[in-house]
């Protein structure tokens, strides 16, 4: 279980002000859970993800993974960013295997594991290609394969599909659901998109603008239904989906208005 307990972050801004980025955020990610943080720009979503990844310390509160405090980056957490950070001079397979080199695996084991992961993300034929030969969606597939290489307990995804066209984005969401169903990974996922949050989350945390706090949470099972029958259209066109979308839209709108009036 990943447990985030009253997590707050204050930054010292360049002009001496204190920026209160995150305010007492608490949630758990149980086995097979996908928690989605949804909110407008600047509400502290990336700050939260970076704290879970161990890239920045909390000012207050705690984060534990299976009872152990998170105090820095570790191979138990795999991170996927919106902008892929593939090394352009290395092949796709070598990019996927990058973390395994640090984990001390031999060359042939690394290659074998990379090929297995490329199969999982549907890129077997591109193992020897270089990143510039790939489309944006394919590059994000490589990013996901790389994040999975060390077999982490949890995938941390910071708007991974935010820069993709809508069709590719839908395909990537479906791919992620199939990977989740096959690997049983826990996922923490950040997005601006209400539809994406509803589609993917077992729990959606709706966040307010700065200081980022959780203003509503929803437990959902659309993703379980998608994993079971794969019929995305019957879900996105359902009345239940539309009503939740409107409810969350209103919450986000109110949270933004409260902030602008403050
Ligand atoms: N290192 C830093 N120093 C000062 N302020 C920061 C720092 N990092 C983030 N902030 C501020 O904290 C707030 C939250 O930023 P964060 O990047 O977490 O938001 P976000 O919800 O991920 O935004 P977006 O969706 O645009 O990526 C913002 O107001 C940002 O300007």
């Amino acid at each position: 279980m990943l447990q985030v307990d009253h997590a707050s972050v204050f930054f010292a801004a360049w002009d001496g002000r204190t920026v209160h980025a995150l305010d007492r955020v608490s949630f758990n990610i149980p086995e097979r859970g996908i928690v989605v943080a949804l909110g407008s720009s600047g509400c502290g979503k990336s700050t939260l993800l970076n704290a879970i990844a161990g890239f920045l310390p909390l000012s207050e509160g705690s984060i534990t993974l299976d009872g152990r405090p998170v105090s820095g980056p570790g191979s138990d957490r795999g991170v996927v960013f919106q902008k892929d950070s593939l090394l352009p001079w290395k092949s796709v397979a070598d990019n996927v295997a990058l973390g395994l080199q640090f984990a001390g695996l031999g060359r042939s084991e690394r290659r074998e594991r990379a090929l297995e992961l490329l199969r999982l993300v549907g890129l077997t034929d591109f193992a020897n290609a270089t990143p510039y030969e790939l489309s944006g969606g394919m590059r994000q597939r490589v990013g996901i394969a790389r994040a999975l290489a060390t077999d982490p307990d949890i995938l941390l995804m910071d708007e991974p599909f935010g820069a993709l066209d809508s069709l590719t984005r839908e395909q990537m969401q479906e791919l992620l659901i199939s990977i989740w169903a096959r690997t049983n990974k826990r996922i923490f996922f950040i997005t601006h998109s209400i539809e994406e949050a509803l589609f993917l989350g077992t729990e959606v945390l709706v966040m307010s603008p700065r200081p980022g706090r959780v203003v509503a949470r929803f437990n959902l099972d659309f993703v379980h239904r998608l994993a079971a029958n794969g019929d995305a259209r019957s879900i996105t066109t359902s009345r239940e989906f539309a009503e939740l979308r409107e409810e969350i839209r209103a919450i986000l709108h109110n949270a933004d208005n409260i902030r602008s009036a403050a």
Side-chain angles (χ1 to χ4, degrees):
M1 169 106 87
L2 179 102
Q3 197 149 14
V4 177
D5 192 18
H6 289 84
S8 294
V9 173
F10 302 91
F11 289 112
W14 61 274
D15 57 359
R17 281 178 313 122
T18 298
V19 176
H20 190 180
L22 204 63
D23 188 31
R24 287 165 294 167
V25 171
S26 298
F27 64 95
N28 297 323
I29 311 185
E31 292 297 325
R32 304 205 70 230
I34 306 180
V35 173
V36 179
L38 169 71
S40 52
S41 193
C43 74
K45 304 182 296 295
S46 298
T47 301
L48 180 56
L49 183 138
N50 286 334
I52 298 172
F55 298 149
L56 71 85
L58 292 178
S59 309
E60 288 166 9
S62 65
I63 301 175
T64 54
L65 185 52
D66 296 331
R68 301 179 309 273
V70 164
S71 55
S75 59
D76 50 4
R77 283 147 290 149
V79 188
V80 183
F81 296 104
Q82 180 179 117
K83 193 171 162 358
D84 70 74
S85 44
L86 304 180
L87 302 179
W89 62 89
K90 283 195 178 281
S91 73
V92 164
D94 285 347
N95 265 288
V96 172
L98 214 56
L100 299 175
Q101 201 162 345
F102 301 120
L105 263 71
R107 193 166 170 75
S108 64
E109 279 172 303
R110 295 202 301 267
R111 176 86 185 167
E112 205 174 304
R113 175 89 180 123
L115 292 179
E116 187 187 314
L117 287 159
L118 286 172
R119 201 171 317 123
L120 184 72
V121 299
L123 282 182
T124 315
D125 294 343
F126 291 85
N128 299 321
T130 43
Y132 70 81
E133 296 173 77
L134 306 182
S135 68
M138 289 158 90
R139 293 170 72 105
Q140 284 308 70
R141 286 172 194 244
V142 180
I144 294 172
R146 186 172 63 181
L148 287 168
T150 55
D151 197 20
D153 296 328
I154 179 163
L155 266 186
L156 306 174
M157 309 185 80
D158 193 348
E159 294 202 51
F161 311 144
L164 304 176
D165 64 84
S166 61
L167 187 62
T168 308
R169 188 170 186 156
E170 281 172 26
Q171 289 166 346
M172 293 297 290
Q173 290 164 352
E174 287 171 19
L175 174 75
L176 183 64
I177 292 172
S178 82
I179 291 173
W180 168 74
R182 273 184 278 169
T183 61
N184 289 330
K185 294 292 173 204
R186 286 175 275 200
I187 298 176
F188 179 66
F189 191 101
I190 285 178
T191 185
H192 283 113
S193 157
I194 301 175
E195 284 83 1
E196 187 164 73
L198 287 174
F199 205 67
L200 295 177
T202 56
E203 182 173 5
V204 174
L205 310 173
V206 184
M207 295 184 63
S208 68
R210 220 171 66 205
R213 56 169 74 106
V214 177
V215 287
R217 43 182 97 215
F218 294 83
N219 289 302
L220 304 170
D221 78 338
F222 295 120
V223 71
H224 287 117
R225 288 189 242 164
L226 278 160
N229 73 16
D231 183 5
R233 235 187 101 64
S234 76
I235 287 175
T236 50
T237 56
S238 71
R239 185 168 167 176
E240 191 188 358
F241 193 92
E243 284 175 357
L244 272 166
R245 186 173 50 212
E246 287 319 303
E247 188 178 346
I248 294 179
R249 199 186 302 282
I251 294 170
L252 284 171
H253 197 71
N254 274 341
D256 273 346
N257 285 344
I258 290 167
R259 158 110 181 118
S260 11

